[in-house]
Amino acid sequence: MGRFDEERSEMIGLLRDRLITDEKILRAMGTVERHLFVPEPFTNRSYEDNALPIGKGQTISQPYTVAFMTQALGVRPGDRILEIGTGSGYQASVLSVLGAHVFSIERDLDLLAAARKMFDRLGYRIATKGGDGTVGWNEFAPFNGIIVTAGAPDVPAPLTKQLADGAKLVIPVGDRKSQALLVLTRQGEELIRREIEGFKFVPLIGKMGWQ
Ligand code: SAM
C-alpha cells in the first residue's frame, strides 16, 4: 500500500457521488498519484476536492474540475490532445494514462521544468512547450481535443482552427473572477456550443487571453 492509497480511493468515491460516471476516467485518476504534483506544505491535502497552490501564483485544479473537463473532452486512446496550462502536470498525466498523445503548453518555465521532471520520473511520454498557448501548437494540429486549464476573456480563434472535425475544445470563458465552461464541438465549418456555469480558474495570460 502506498502512503495515500486510501485517500485516493476516497477521492474517487467522492467523484462518483458528484456524478462522474466514466469508469476509465475514474480509473485513470485512481492511478495518477496527485500528491506527487502537490508541493509542500499542501501535500497532505492532495486528495481533498480542492484546487491547491503550486507556486508562482498558480494552482493545481480541483479533482472534480479535472474529471469534469476530461469527461467533457471525450478522450479516446490514441487521440492527440492539446492542453494549454501544464501547471503541475497532473491533468496532462491523467490524459496520458487514458491513452492520449498529449501536447501541453505552459507559459511559466519554472512550473514547466518541474512538471517535465515529474513526467520523466513517472515515465509519462508527454510533449511540452514553454510559451503562450493561446496561439495553440500549429505544428502538431489538428487535434482530437483541446483543453484550456486557465480562464479566458474569449475563445482564442487559433485554437478553434486547430480542432479536427468532430473534436471538442473545452475552455473556461468569463471575467477574471468566474467563468462558464464552454464545450465547442467542430462539425465541419460549424462550432456547436454547450455552456456550463460556475467555474473559477486563474487567468489565461497571452496574445489571445488577458494582458
Ligand atoms: N492543468 C494544470 C494542472 O493539472 O496542474 C493546472 C493549471 S493552472 C489552473 C493554469 C496554468 O495555466 C498556470 O500554470 C498558468 O501559468 C498557465 N497559463 C496561463 N496562461 C497561459 C498561456 N497563455 N499559455 C500557457 N499557459 C498559460
Side-chain angles (χ1 to χ4, degrees):
M1 284 280 280
R3 184 172 154 211
F4 288 104
D5 286 0
E6 208 172 306
E7 285 90 337
R8 193 161 54 257
S9 73
E10 278 166 18
M11 176 188 84
I12 300 302
L14 203 127
L15 294 175
R16 262 186 225 287
D17 292 347
R18 295 198 65 184
L19 304 182
I20 301 298
T21 51
D22 187 323
E23 287 299 325
K24 292 194 283 306
I25 294 174
L26 293 168
R27 253 199 317 275
M29 291 183 69
T31 304
V32 180
E33 297 182 298
R34 189 171 188 257
H35 64 273
L36 299 178
F37 298 85
V38 177
E40 293 292 356
F42 302 102
T43 311
N44 271 332
R45 297 178 51 196
S46 298
Y47 296 98
E48 291 175 11
D49 194 18
N50 286 318
L52 292 168
I54 56 171
K56 314 293 295 273
Q58 303 302 328
T59 54
I60 177 172
S61 303
Q62 181 184 353
Y64 174 71
T65 302
V66 171
F68 189 89
M69 290 177 85
T70 307
Q71 198 163 265
L73 200 58
V75 186
R76 289 157 309 179
D79 276 355
R80 296 155 63 83
I81 303 289
L82 175 66
E83 179 195 32
I84 314 301
T86 316
S88 69
Y90 177 72
Q91 169 78 72
S93 300
V94 170
L95 293 168
S96 176
V97 168
L98 280 166
H101 297 298
V102 185
F103 300 80
S104 187
I105 307 177
E106 170 58 56
R107 68 187 291 275
D108 186 301
L109 300 184
D110 295 326
L111 292 177
L112 184 61
R116 212 20 307 142
K117 213 165 143 188
M118 192 51 73
F119 297 152
D120 293 343
R121 176 177 154 192
L122 298 173
Y124 297 147
R125 293 178 57 188
I126 292 167
T128 56
K129 177 162 107 163
D132 178 8
T134 63
V135 294
W137 199 341
N138 213 9
E139 196 184 340
F140 293 106
F143 296 97
N144 304 109
I146 302 179
I147 177 170
V148 181
T149 66
D154 224 324
V155 179
L159 298 185
T160 61
K161 294 204 178 84
Q162 292 176 24
L163 279 179
D165 198 21
K168 291 187 165 62
L169 166 62
V170 179
I171 179 169
V173 173
D175 58 30
R176 278 176 175 266
K177 289 204 177 114
S178 72
Q179 303 88 29
L181 195 66
L182 302 192
V183 181
L184 302 176
T185 308
R186 171 166 294 289
Q187 275 181 12
E189 289 306 301
E190 254 189 281
L191 288 171
I192 313 295
R193 179 186 170 111
R194 184 158 76 92
E195 197 169 321
I196 308 112
E197 291 295 333
F199 288 82
K200 192 172 162 37
F201 282 83
V202 294
L204 182 75
I205 295 167
K207 194 170 168 215
M208 313 296 284
W210 296 100
Q211 296 310 304

